[in-house]
Amino acid sequence: MSKQKVLGFIQKYTMIIVLVLVTLFFAIRTDGKLLMPNNITNIISQNAYVFVLATGMLMCILTGGNIDLSVGSVVCFAGVIGAILMHNEMNFWLAVVIMLAVGLAIGAWQAFWVAYVHIPPFITTLSGMMVFRGLSNVFLQGKTMSVTNEKFVQIFGGGANCYVPDFFGGEGINILCLVVGAVACLVYLFTTFKSRNTRAKAGLEVEPIIKTVIKAVIIVAVIMFFTVKFSEYKGIPMALLWVAVVILIYSYITSKTTIGRHLYAVGGNEQATKLSGIDTRKVYFFAYANMGLLAGLAGIMTIARLTSAQPTYGQNYEMDAIGSCFIGGASAYGGIGTVPGVIVGALLMGVINIGMSIMGVDANYQKVVKGLVLLAAVIFDVVSKKKNS
């Protein structure tokens, strides 16, 4: 393999390589505690909101490096609404629908100002951050409201009993988890090689078969690693199911749909996109309305995991989401980024959080490390573009 190909490979998979190295570093420094089944589960359960919000944030960033600063406050406000409704004995499914509707309505409100009035997204969402944080305090009067609906907590939470039941009745190891992992691997292999054959038959360029096989083996190994770890603990966390649904839906939207192509087009060259007949206003509206919807879902998951609603919930959530996107390869200039890349970024953030917590690192130093990692990711993006220009 030539030096140029090696450099190209390293550049393409930089963050995956970094994720592996950081994981190995913390595994060694924590004497293997990081890779214990309960900590692997915590990486997913405690950071589920990051995966959800970062997926939505990617849509905003694709439009030209724009961000949504209000998501943490929207998460809090949607959660407050849901907690109040369930406290007043409303059916929890109806409360869930209302929380999603609240998030979508807020997203649409902000999307209108961004898309049709051309208020800068930074200003619009900064306003939303203050407005909905304030409203959360007003509705709760600065107090904490408990969420006592056990079914709601079990379905959307990340606590001790929030796992998919093992219908196979495995003892000591969760058989259902192993079955799901095996099926996921088979589905991945089938779709990967079917897509490759379809492209080859159509006369389109395909990557060498050895490269496809190596990539498939690595991904299957990662899936089975997590599957085995989950099966050795309590099985599949409910939070993982919701994260998986979000990832699958938005991976499809960004890679297979017209609106997904339009998001990349706007971020690549908005003026050219307009001249080609695409209504860029609708693209912006979709991105920010969608962000509100996912913030509503994150609000549901947050109050379920913490079994309460507080005016302080959601603080710095926007920073975790933004950081995951840029660390995962999204461009600060827009037009570049993928959902799988964002997931890698969110996993890296989760590993850093859990690893430093196990080591007993002060929370303030954890923020320093995450800030430096974010800066390094953006510097890498900017320098890479200068070299390629």
Side-chain angles (χ1 to χ4, degrees), residues 234-252:
K234 296 182 179 180
I236 304 171
M238 291 300 300
L240 178 59
L241 291 186
W242 296 108
V243 169
V245 168
V246 170
I247 291 171
L248 291 173
I249 290 174
Y250 287 92
S251 292
Y252 179 81

Side-chain angles (χ1 to χ4, degrees), residues 11-49:
Q11 183 174 347
K12 184 176 181 180
Y13 297 105
T14 299
M15 295 320 300
I16 295 178
I17 296 171
V18 171
L19 174 60
V20 171
L21 293 176
V22 169
T23 302
L24 289 174
F25 170 79
F26 281 115
I28 294 170
R29 290 300 304 273
T30 60
D31 297 323
K33 291 180 182 178
L34 176 71
L35 299 180
M36 291 177 64
N38 61 321
N39 286 324
I40 294 293
T41 300
N42 286 338
I43 290 174
I44 303 298
S45 298
Q46 294 179 12
N47 294 281
Y49 73 90

Side-chain angles (χ1 to χ4, degrees), residues 336-375:
I336 297 175
T338 63
V339 173
V342 166
I343 299 310
V344 170
L347 276 174
L348 180 57
M349 297 278 275
V351 169
I352 291 172
N353 284 337
I354 296 291
M356 289 194 293
S357 295
I358 295 173
M359 290 172 61
V361 177
D362 184 86
N364 292 312
Y365 285 112
Q366 292 184 29
K367 293 178 182 178
V368 171
V369 172
K370 289 193 289 185
L372 292 175
V373 170
L374 173 58
L375 179 61

Side-chain angles (χ1 to χ4, degrees), residues 286-307:
F286 170 80
Y288 281 89
N290 174 77
M291 183 72 259
L293 176 65
L294 290 180
L297 175 59
I300 293 168
M301 297 170 71
T302 297
I303 65 169
R305 182 172 69 86
L306 300 173
T307 63

Side-chain angles (χ1 to χ4, degrees), residues 25 27 41 46 91 109 122 157 167 183 254 283 296 299 308 342 349 365 377:
F25 170 79
T41 300
Q46 294 179 12
N91 178 278
W109 162 261
F122 182 89
F167 303 109
V183 170
T254 54
V283 178
S308 64
V342 166
M349 297 278 275
Y365 285 112

Side-chain angles (χ1 to χ4, degrees), residues 152-165:
F152 170 78
V153 171
Q154 185 177 3
I155 292 174
F156 293 99
N161 299 314
C162 304
Y163 295 84
V164 179

